[in-house]
Amino acid sequence: MAYLNENYLKLQAGYLFPEIARRVREFLEQNPKAAKRLIRCGIGDVTEPLPRAAIEAMKAAAEELGHRETFRGYGPEQGYEFLRRKIAQFDYRDRGIEIADDEIFLSDGSKCDCGHILDILGEQNKIAITDPVYPVYVDTNVMAGHTGPVRTDGSYEGILYLPCTIENNFVPEPPREHADVIYLCFPNNPTGAVAARAQLAGWVQYAREHDSLLLFDAAYEGYIGDPEIPHSIFEIDGACECAIEFRSFSKTGGFTGVRCGFTVLPKSVLARTENGKKLALHPLWHRRWSTKSNGVSYPVQRGAEALYSVEGREQVCALIDHYMGNARILSEAARAAGFAVHGGTNAPYIWVETRPGRTSWQTFDWMLRELNVVITPGSGFGSRGEGFFRVSAFNGRSNAEEVARRLGASKPS
Ligand SMILES: *Cc1c(COP(=O)(O)O)cnc(C)c1O
C-alpha cells in the first residue's frame, strides 16, 4: 500500500468556514423566515461583475482561438510577453521600481503561488508568520512538513508567530529571533492594516541582517488610497535582494473566478545551499514553472492585459471605489453602534473589537441572531484574532446599507 503524506493529518480539519456554514445552517433551520433577511459579510470574495474591458478582451481572444490563422496552443509557461511587459511597466517601472519583464511569473492566482513557492525553498527554514493571518501561509507549511503538531490554541509547533495587536497597529516589529522566511501581507487580510514605509524598511533591514527572505503578499495593493503607503515591497531600498512579491487580479479586476495572479522574483534574490553556497532563486522558480505547469489560459491573460488599458484602469478604479464606499458605510455604522473599528480605510476589510468580555464566536452568534448578518470571527484567523471580528466590504451597496441600518437599530448585546 502507498504511504500518504502524514503532514496533512496535522492540519486542523478546515475549521473556520465549515463551522460558520454549520452555525448559519442551524440558525436557518430554527428560523426559516430569516433566510430572506440574511446578509453575508463573511467571505473574502468579490460580488460585482467583471470590468467590461476584460470581458471584451477575453471574448476576442476566444474568437482568435477559433481560426487557424490566429489559433494558439501552449503558451510560455511563465506567461505571455505581452502581459509580463504590461505588468512590469505599469505596476513597477512607471513607479520607479526596476523590475524586468522576465522577473514576472504569471499564475492562476496568488493563493496557489503562496503554496507553490515552498517548492523552491528548503525544509530547514525557520518560518515566521503573523497572527492573525490568511490561513494559506500556515497550512501550506504544515502540508510541506515544516511544522510540528498543532497545539490546543490552533498554533503549530515550529512556526514563529508574530503577534498583530492593537498596540502595534496590527503591523508586527521584526522579532529578536532569527527567521529564514517571513510572510507579510499588506494591506492585510483579515485586519485591514497597512504598513508604513518606515515599517517595511524595518523588515527589509531585518531581512538583510539575517539573510532572510520576505514573502510579501500585495493582493490588496489596489485598495491603498493614502499616497504615503507603499504598494510594493520593492519600493523599499534593498528589497530586490530579499523579497518575493505576490499579486493577484482577484481583488482588483474581480478575477476570483477567472483566476490570474503573478509573482515578482528579482534575479538578485539569493538563497543558500546546505554547503553555504549562495544562489539565485529565479532560475529555480523558472524551472519549477517549466516543469510543473503549462501556464495560464490565453483568453485569461488577454483579459488581465485589458485591465491595464485606459478603460480597464478606469473600470478597476470604479470597482475599488465601490467596495471602499461599502467599507466607509460599514465602518461608520459599526462605530456609531459603539464598536471600536480598525482597518477599512486602505483595505476592504474592517476589523472590529468585540464588546468587552465577548468572544469572537459569541459575537458571531449575536450578529447572526439579532441582525441576521454573517461576519467572520477573528479567532478563526489565529489566537491573536480572539476578541475581534472581520467584516468584509465585498458586497452590493444595498446590502452594505442594510447592514448599516441594522447596526444602527441594534441594542448593545
Ligand atoms: C484573496 C487573497 C489573495 C488572492 O488569491 P487568488 O488565489 O489570487 O484569488 C491572496 N492573498 C490574500 C491574503 C487574499 O485575501
Side-chain angles (χ1 to χ4, degrees):
M1 190 175 279
Y3 295 97
L4 54 75
N5 180 349
E6 293 194 33
N7 295 314
Y8 279 62
L9 308 181
K10 293 184 207 161
L11 291 165
Q12 277 196 303
Y15 176 68
L16 178 61
F17 289 102
E19 178 60 17
I20 291 174
R22 192 191 67 73
R23 291 191 191 210
V24 171
R25 205 166 46 241
E26 190 181 279
F27 170 71
L28 290 178
E29 275 161 20
Q30 291 160 3
N31 307 276
K33 286 211 201 83
K36 273 220 298 284
R37 258 177 66 82
L38 195 75
I39 299 179
R40 294 177 193 274
C41 290
I43 297 172
D45 194 359
V46 296
T47 56
E48 304 308 295
L50 290 179
R52 244 312 116 191
I55 298 165
E56 297 305 333
M58 287 194 283
K59 278 192 196 164
E63 197 52 46
E64 278 180 52
L65 299 182
H67 302 276
R68 175 171 297 278
E69 302 72 42
T70 47
F71 172 78
R72 299 186 187 221
Y74 289 127
E77 294 92 344
Q78 292 77 17
Y80 278 105
E81 182 57 31
F82 64 77
L83 180 53
R84 301 173 89 188
R85 193 185 323 126
K86 285 255 161 57
I87 292 170
Q89 189 68 45
F90 279 88
D91 287 334
Y92 296 96
R93 292 195 290 264
D94 283 357
R95 296 169 180 231
I97 305 168
E98 269 321 302
I99 293 291
D101 298 350
D102 66 354
E103 292 173 324
I104 307 289
F105 295 78
L106 269 300
S107 75
D108 59 336
S110 58
K111 184 186 200 179
C112 327
D113 287 331
C114 290
H116 294 328
I117 199 72
L118 297 178
D119 279 7
I120 62 163
L121 299 176
E123 352 219 80
Q124 312 89 323
N125 288 318
K126 181 76 187 174
I127 309 284
I129 297 183
T130 57
D131 178 10
V133 75
Y134 179 56
V136 175
Y137 316 143
V138 177
D139 289 359
T140 52
N141 274 286
V142 176
M143 291 170 171
H146 298 169
T147 74
V150 71
R151 302 192 192 97
T152 48
D153 67 353
S155 66
Y156 288 88
E157 283 175 25
I159 289 181
L160 176 61
Y161 287 92
L162 308 167
C164 301
T165 60
I166 294 174
E167 290 70 36
N168 64 22
N169 263 316
F170 310 100
V171 182
E173 296 267 323
R176 279 202 203 91
E177 300 97 307
H178 172 82
D180 297 300
V181 177
I182 301 111
Y183 289 79
L184 297 175
C185 173
F186 295 106
N188 189 262
N189 175 12
T191 66
V194 284
R197 189 173 300 274
Q199 290 170 309
L200 291 179
W203 275 105
V204 169
Q205 191 189 342
Y206 172 91
R208 291 170 65 92
E209 283 167 12
H210 285 255
D211 266 340
S212 345
L213 177 65
L214 303 178
L215 299 180
F216 191 78
D217 186 341
Y220 296 96
E221 61 77 29
Y223 289 81
I224 295 173
D226 181 343
E228 296 300 312
I229 302 292
H231 288 240
S232 165
I233 190 69
F234 300 121
E235 289 181 44
I236 310 298
D237 282 342
C240 279
E241 274 86 60
C242 62
I244 299 176
E245 183 158 287
F246 300 102
R247 291 239 190 150
S248 171
F249 298 106
S250 284
K251 312 299 167 29
T252 52
F255 269 35
T256 55
V258 177
R259 309 305 306 140
C260 194
F262 57 93
T263 49
V264 186
L265 206 174
K267 297 187 192 88
S268 42
V269 174
L270 308 183
R272 54 168 293 173
T273 66
E274 188 64 42
N275 301 336
K277 215 152 111 199
K278 292 186 174 180
L279 298 173
L281 284 171
H282 186 280
L284 276 66
W285 193 228
H286 189 276
R287 182 58 199 258
R288 189 251 163 234
W289 279 96
S290 304
T291 298
K292 290 200 181 182
S293 171
N294 273 314
V296 181
S297 98
Y298 173 66
V300 166
Q301 292 193 58
R302 283 294 186 199
E305 180 193 28
L307 300 177
Y308 292 94
S309 65
V310 174
E311 316 80 73
R313 279 180 290 160
E314 280 168 12
Q315 291 159 6
V316 167
C317 282
L319 268 180
I320 290 174
D321 285 348
H322 164 81
Y323 293 125
M324 290 311 290
N326 290 347
R328 256 189 312 278
I329 290 167
L330 292 164
S331 301
E332 279 165 20
R335 248 183 225 117
F339 286 103
V341 175
H342 307 271
T345 52
N346 292 290
Y349 296 115
I350 300 153
W351 190 239
V352 188
E353 294 176 41
T354 60
R355 308 245 190 239
R358 296 296 168 115
T359 68
S360 297
W361 278 111
Q362 284 168 339
T363 307
F364 173 90
D365 288 333
W366 177 79
M367 294 279 284
L368 178 60
R369 277 163 209 290
E370 300 301 318
L371 306 189
N372 303 150
V373 171
V374 183
I375 47 86
T376 315
S379 55
F381 297 103
S383 62
R384 298 291 182 140
E386 182 55 88
F388 297 89
F389 60 95
R390 187 190 76 174
V391 182
S392 163
F394 291 125
N395 228 323
R397 181 55 48 88
S398 59
N399 272 353
E401 285 169 348
E402 177 59 21
V403 171
R405 251 194 305 280
R406 291 185 201 171
L407 274 167
S410 70
K411 288 182 278 305
S413 60

